[in-house]
Amino acid sequence: MKQVWSATGRRKRSVAQVRMTAGKGKITVNGVDVNEYMPYAVLVMDLKQPLTATNNEDKFDIEVTVKGGGFSGQTGAIRLGITRALLEFDKDSDPTSETSYRKILKTAGFVTRDPRVKERKKYGLKKARRAPQFSKR
């Protein structure tokens, strides 16, 4: 049986479940190829960053199920999921060595979840902080 490394990534309102297996570098998002699913090449490049940083672009097949949010949030969620799956794959190595995935990914800033989410709307305001226009007369 093939070994599977799985992880979950979140960003804004998006949640991505990532399943990583040894393979040739094929990435599928919700059953569709990543290049067809994502509308911009920049987003595809962004979600592949952890693989590029660790030189694993063509070593793993990645299957992603992502829900919620827009394309940008989904990309961030997938990127965090891939990062966590790589850390799961490399968990037996020494974390203090220069070649450990944790050290590489941490310095690149991929291990930390981006906590920024939309602020809730307050009553009496048009948005979270936008007040109605003031009229003196």
Side-chain angles (χ1 to χ4, degrees):
M1 182 159 159
K2 266 190 169 177
Q3 189 168 9
V4 178
W5 298 277
S6 57
T8 305
R10 292 183 187 87
R11 167 91 168 84
K12 291 185 175 182
R13 289 238 154 259
S14 303
V15 180
Q17 292 173 307
V18 177
R19 297 180 78 239
M20 193 170 79
T21 54
K24 299 206 168 29
K26 204 171 117 219
I27 301 176
T28 352
V29 180
N30 292 347
V32 185
D33 183 62
V34 71
N35 296 308
E36 290 175 41
Y37 186 83
M38 292 292 171
Y40 308 111
V42 175
L43 295 177
V44 177
M45 190 181 74
D46 189 34
L47 72 83
K48 285 183 179 177
Q49 280 180 326
L51 297 168
T52 312
T54 55
N55 294 324
N56 286 319
E57 295 100 324
D58 47 6
K59 290 182 187 158
F60 297 108
D61 284 344
I62 296 170
E63 208 175 288
V64 181
T65 309
V66 66
K67 289 185 179 116
F71 287 114
S72 172
Q74 288 186 353
T75 302
I78 294 168
R79 185 170 85 170
L80 182 61
I82 290 172
T83 302
R84 287 179 174 172
L86 284 168
L87 292 177
E88 185 69 27
F89 165 75
D90 196 47
K91 69 177 173 214
D92 297 329
S93 74
D94 177 31
T96 55
S97 75
E98 290 296 318
T99 56
S100 79
Y101 286 180
R102 180 155 192 91
K103 190 144 191 139
I104 295 165
L105 294 167
K106 187 80 176 162
T107 52
F110 300 143
V111 179
T112 313
R113 182 211 191 277
D114 192 339
R116 295 175 295 170
V117 291
K118 187 172 170 128
E119 191 177 335
R120 82 170 201 75
K121 184 193 175 298
K122 278 68 161 200
Y123 62 88
L125 301 181
K126 291 184 179 291
K127 288 165 66 179
R129 298 177 184 220
R130 169 79 175 101
Q133 185 171 350
F134 174 75
S135 169
K136 198 169 187 177
R137 280 177 201 89

